[in-house]
Amino acid sequence: MLSSNNFKHYTLLILGFCLSISCFSQHPYKRTLKLMGSRFDITVVADNEEKGQAYIDTAVAEITRIEKLISSWDPNSQTSEINRNAGIKPVKVDAELFELIERAIGISRLTDGAFDISYASMDKIWKFDGSMTTMPEAKDIKASVDKVGYKNILLNKELSTVFLKLEGMKIGFGAIGKGYAADKTKAFLISKGVPSGIINASGDMNTWGKQPNGEEWKVAITNPMDKSKSYGLLPITDGAVVTSGNYEKFVEFNGKRYTHIIDPRSGMPSSGIISVTVFAPKAELADALATSVFVMGKDVGLSRINQFPKIECIIIDEKGQVFTSDNIKIQKL
């Protein structure tokens, strides 16, 4: 699983901005800033700069609100309160947080536990900063997952409470938090009348509407083994795309690469895949599934994605080979 300081690599490039847009009444306005500990690029389409910047201010306020709700690093957040009371008592939470946790558990069921927000209680036995020289011992790997398990997250819908059954359990939203923030911010801006835009949360991207020139937004799928090259373009219409990459954070033992995305069921790092891009209606779901595909592996991952409607996937393995889900359509460059 990805931790809260995970690495979502910038393999998505926004293409096709009209180079000369003076003939159009609406213009794109963009701001880049750090939110939720990550880079956010917020682009909105508006008919003047004052309105565009005001829309972006509104987006920043919404993302900040979400962070205060779901952050496991903020001791005052409801998430931290849940973690402090693990094994002690249920905690009453806002409906928004309750429903996010409920959806996360649903994704855990769909992925047979490859995705699990209780990964946060795992001991950090794997280090990807260059300091590891030997494989961790099997007993330490096994112990690292003793308190991981979405089935031990107990929800009471009537009372809106969350209870972590085991003392020492923790939940965290590092693998879906930025995607969720992108979804909520998009919906909020649409409610304010913003006709078009992009929320790019460190690679968790959500779009709506069209460019000022009337064309669809497009993304380029970059080759992680040669970032100067792209495999192709895909139009994005009112949807989300998330790319997870692990080609910069890994260790190698006996000729095998182990990456920073850990299987919460076994404590072992994923292997064999270096990049996963998922297209879905919501960034929250795309975010979770991108992580899950890494853990499940190419064959199981693609098989699972092909079972979901309106979801597509591109996988690049450690040899640079590209594999796609059944119905994806790429415009080759």
Side-chain angles (χ1 to χ4, degrees), residues 129-175:
D129 57 4
S131 63
M132 287 189 70
T133 57
T134 59
M135 279 277 289
E137 294 188 22
K139 63 180 180 61
D140 294 329
I141 295 173
K142 184 177 184 299
S144 73
V145 298
D146 281 349
K147 294 178 180 179
V148 176
Y150 69 91
K151 293 180 181 180
N152 291 315
I153 305 172
L154 307 181
L155 303 181
N156 185 316
K157 198 172 186 69
E158 183 178 346
L159 299 176
S160 192
T161 60
V162 181
F163 179 49
L164 306 184
K165 187 176 179 181
L166 306 177
E167 185 177 352
M169 272 189 78
K170 294 179 183 179
I171 59 172
F173 299 98

Side-chain angles (χ1 to χ4, degrees), residues 224-235:
M225 305 186 82
D226 184 353
K227 295 180 183 178
S228 66
K229 297 180 180 179
S230 296
Y231 288 110
L233 301 178
L234 289 97

Side-chain angles (χ1 to χ4, degrees), residues 99-119:
E99 290 165 5
L100 177 61
I101 294 171
E102 192 173 40
R103 291 194 303 274
I105 292 173
I107 296 171
S108 294
R109 294 193 186 102
L110 288 173
T111 61
D112 301 322
F115 173 85
D116 194 328
I117 58 172
S118 69
Y119 76 90

Side-chain angles (χ1 to χ4, degrees), residues 12-27:
L12 299 178
L13 302 176
I14 295 295
L15 299 179
F17 267 125
C18 186
L19 297 179
S20 175
I21 56 175
S22 59
C23 58
F24 299 104
S25 61
Q26 295 193 321
H27 304 257

Side-chain angles (χ1 to χ4, degrees), residues 32-331:
T32 299
L33 62 166
K34 188 173 183 179
L35 297 164
M36 301 179 72
S38 301
R39 171 174 167 163
F40 272 68
D41 297 290
I42 303 171
T43 302
V44 298
V45 171
D47 51 22
N48 61 69
E49 183 168 2
E50 182 180 1
K51 186 179 290 186
Q53 295 302 330
Y55 285 149
I56 294 175
D57 289 341
T58 299
V60 172
E62 175 68 355
I63 295 166
T64 302
R65 181 193 69 80
I66 292 167
E67 181 177 19
K68 289 180 180 178
L69 180 68
I70 70 173
S71 173
S72 57
W73 301 101
D74 181 351
N76 298 313
S77 73
Q78 292 184 11
T79 301
S80 293
E81 183 71 8
I82 293 169
N83 291 340
R84 277 194 296 271
N85 285 281
I88 301 172
K89 65 177 182 179
V91 173
K92 185 176 178 60
V93 300
D94 291 351
E96 181 179 357
L97 181 59
F98 185 93
E99 290 165 5
L100 177 61
I101 294 171
E102 192 173 40
R103 291 194 303 274
I105 292 173
I107 296 171
S108 294
R109 294 193 186 102
L110 288 173
T111 61
D112 301 322
F115 173 85
D116 194 328
I117 58 172
S118 69
Y119 76 90
S121 58
M122 292 174 67
D123 296 328
K124 296 184 180 296
I125 62 170
W126 295 93
K127 300 184 185 301
F128 302 94
D129 57 4
S131 63
M132 287 189 70
T133 57
T134 59
M135 279 277 289
E137 294 188 22
K139 63 180 180 61
D140 294 329
I141 295 173
K142 184 177 184 299
S144 73
V145 298
D146 281 349
K147 294 178 180 179
V148 176
Y150 69 91
K151 293 180 181 180
N152 291 315
I153 305 172
L154 307 181
L155 303 181
N156 185 316
K157 198 172 186 69
E158 183 178 346
L159 299 176
S160 192
T161 60
V162 181
F163 179 49
L164 306 184
K165 187 176 179 181
L166 306 177
E167 185 177 352
M169 272 189 78
K170 294 179 183 179
I171 59 172
F173 299 98
I176 58 170
K178 288 186 288 296
Y180 175 67
D183 289 338
K184 291 289 288 185
T185 304
K186 167 185 169 179
F188 193 61
L189 289 174
I190 290 173
S191 75
K192 297 298 182 182
V194 181
S196 180
I198 305 167
I199 308 296
N200 186 355
S202 295
D204 293 9
M205 186 182 302
N206 210 332
T207 71
W208 71 102
K210 294 185 178 181
Q211 300 179 63
N213 62 3
E215 294 182 1
E216 295 175 322
W217 302 108
K218 295 183 177 68
V219 294
I221 307 302
T222 302
N223 181 350
M225 305 186 82
D226 184 353
K227 295 180 183 178
S228 66
K229 297 180 180 179
S230 296
Y231 288 110
L233 301 178
L234 289 97
I236 306 298
T237 303
D238 193 28
V241 55
V242 169
T243 288
S244 292
N246 62 16
Y247 32 85
E248 293 179 0
K249 291 290 180 178
F250 60 89
V251 293
E252 286 188 2
F253 298 121
N254 300 319
K256 185 173 182 178
R257 175 181 293 192
Y258 298 90
T259 74
H260 72 282
I261 299 176
I262 310 296
D263 186 338
R265 303 165 297 186
S266 68
M268 287 293 294
S270 61
S271 61
I273 296 174
I274 61 173
S275 176
V276 175
T277 299
V278 174
F279 299 81
K282 300 284 188 180
E284 174 192 316
L285 179 59
D287 207 351
L289 290 178
T291 300
S292 302
V293 170
F294 264 104
V295 172
M296 291 186 289
K298 174 180 67 68
D299 294 335
V300 174
L302 282 177
S303 175
R304 193 61 52 90
I305 291 293
N306 285 329
Q307 296 175 38
F308 300 146
K310 299 181 180 179
I311 297 174
E312 301 299 340
C313 179
I314 299 172
I315 297 173
I316 302 174
D317 72 8
E318 57 192 1
K319 296 179 181 178
Q321 295 179 294
V322 182
F323 303 89
T324 68
S325 53
D326 289 344
N327 299 314
I328 199 164
K329 295 179 181 180
I330 304 175
Q331 178 184 339

